[in-house]
């Protein structure tokens, strides 16, 4: 007990001595609050990027202008949905097997707008292209759109697919088996799905004869170049 009491007294004495030493020292000066001033750069600031160099300027404009133009001699597609090249949310949901269910999912994906075009060459060769833009404030919905499409497209049998150069996960698909319905001529389909930034590209070619890989690949590459 005597040893413990002595140790405690020694600790208290040491603490008091430390406070006394600090109390007799001169206060340390604090650094000045003001900072040295820096000379401001002279001359004009950099010129704003042109639309050709600033992709955001291009994609925030009229989305329809980024679609491929109808080839010379082709006619407008007869059953193209939407008005004046635009698809609203309800129109876009109608492309799915369960429009009511998909409407809510597309809202959750932060759908912004969609532009569409299509044309008919001859009597049977038809093309349809959509550009679907998302707000992407919470999720990378354009990339997710392509990923989900790839899942169900590749699940179909009799389909060949190839990577779309320069797009990362973009792919083109050629369905070797025609879609057959009683009373209708068999129809072959090829399609492409890719994304760039906040825009998902959806493309289809249909014909009564098989569609070569080169045809859908060329069309998809030219569309991606415009983005």
């Amino acid at each position: 007990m005597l040893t413990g009491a002595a140790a405690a007294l020694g600790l208290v004495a040491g603490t008091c001595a430390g406070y006394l030493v600090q109390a007799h020292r001169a206060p340390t000066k604090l650094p000045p609050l003001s900072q040295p001033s820096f000379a401001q750069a002279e001359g004009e600031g950099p010129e704003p990027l042109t639309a050709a160099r600033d992709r955001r300027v291009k994609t925030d404009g009229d989305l329809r202008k980024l679609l491929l133009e109808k080839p010379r001699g082709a006619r407008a597609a007869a059953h193209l949905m939407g008005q004046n090249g635009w698809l609203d949310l309800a129109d876009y949901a109608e492309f799915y097997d369960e429009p009511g269910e998909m409407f809510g999912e597309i809202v959750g994906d932060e759908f912004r707008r969609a532009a569409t075009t299509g044309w008919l060459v001859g009597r049977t060769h038809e093309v349809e292209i959509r550009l679907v833009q998302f707000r992407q404030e919470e999720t990378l919905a354009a990339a997710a759109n392509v990923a989900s499409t790839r899942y169900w497209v590749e699940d179909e049998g009799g389909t060949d697919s190839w990577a779309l150069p320069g797009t990362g996960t973009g792919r083109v698909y050629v369905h070797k088996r025609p879609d057959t319905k009683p009373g209708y001529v068999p129809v072959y389909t090829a399609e492409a799905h890719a994304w760039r930034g906040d825009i998902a590209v959806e493309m289809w070619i249909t014909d009564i004869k098989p569609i070569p890989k080169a045809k859908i690949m060329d069309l998809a590459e030219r569309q991606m170049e415009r983005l």
Side-chain angles (χ1 to χ4, degrees), residues 28-43:
T28 303
K29 292 184 178 181
L30 296 174
L33 296 178
S34 60
Q35 298 296 322
S37 59
F38 296 95
Q40 185 174 358
E42 298 181 356

Side-chain angles (χ1 to χ4, degrees), residues 7 10 15 21 30-31 34-35 41 45-46 52 59-60 78 103-104 110 119 184 188 194 197 201-202 204 206:
T15 302
V21 171
L30 296 174
S34 60
Q35 298 296 322
T59 58
D60 277 347
F103 187 95
E110 301 175 292
W119 56 82
Y184 291 89
Y188 291 88
V201 177
E202 304 173 348
W204 290 267
T206 58

Side-chain angles (χ1 to χ4, degrees), residues 20-140:
L20 290 173
V21 171
Q22 288 285 45
H24 286 87
R25 286 180 177 176
T28 303
K29 292 184 178 181
L30 296 174
L33 296 178
S34 60
Q35 298 296 322
S37 59
F38 296 95
Q40 185 174 358
E42 298 181 356
E44 298 181 357
E47 292 290 334
L49 295 176
T50 63
R53 297 178 60 193
D54 189 346
R55 183 184 172 278
R56 192 71 179 183
V57 172
K58 181 165 54 175
T59 58
D60 277 347
D62 190 339
L63 201 59
R64 296 171 299 178
K65 293 182 179 180
L66 299 182
L67 287 161
L68 284 175
E69 296 180 0
K70 179 168 61 70
R72 182 178 299 178
R75 306 186 304 279
H79 305 291
L80 199 64
M81 290 186 64
Q83 294 184 347
N84 298 321
W86 292 109
L87 286 171
D88 61 21
L89 181 56
D91 288 335
Y92 184 62
E94 285 294 328
F95 289 105
Y96 293 88
D97 293 335
E98 301 291 340
E101 180 180 341
M102 287 305 304
F103 187 95
E105 291 193 23
I106 297 169
V107 170
D109 288 339
E110 301 175 292
F111 173 91
R112 179 180 174 186
R113 56 182 180 165
T116 184
T117 189
W119 56 82
L120 183 65
V121 178
R123 299 182 60 185
T124 61
H125 188 88
E126 190 165 2
V127 173
E128 183 175 356
I129 306 172
R130 301 181 208 138
L131 301 182
V132 187
Q133 191 171 33
F134 300 88
R135 299 188 185 282
Q136 299 206 147
E137 295 176 359
E138 300 293 336
T139 60
L140 297 177

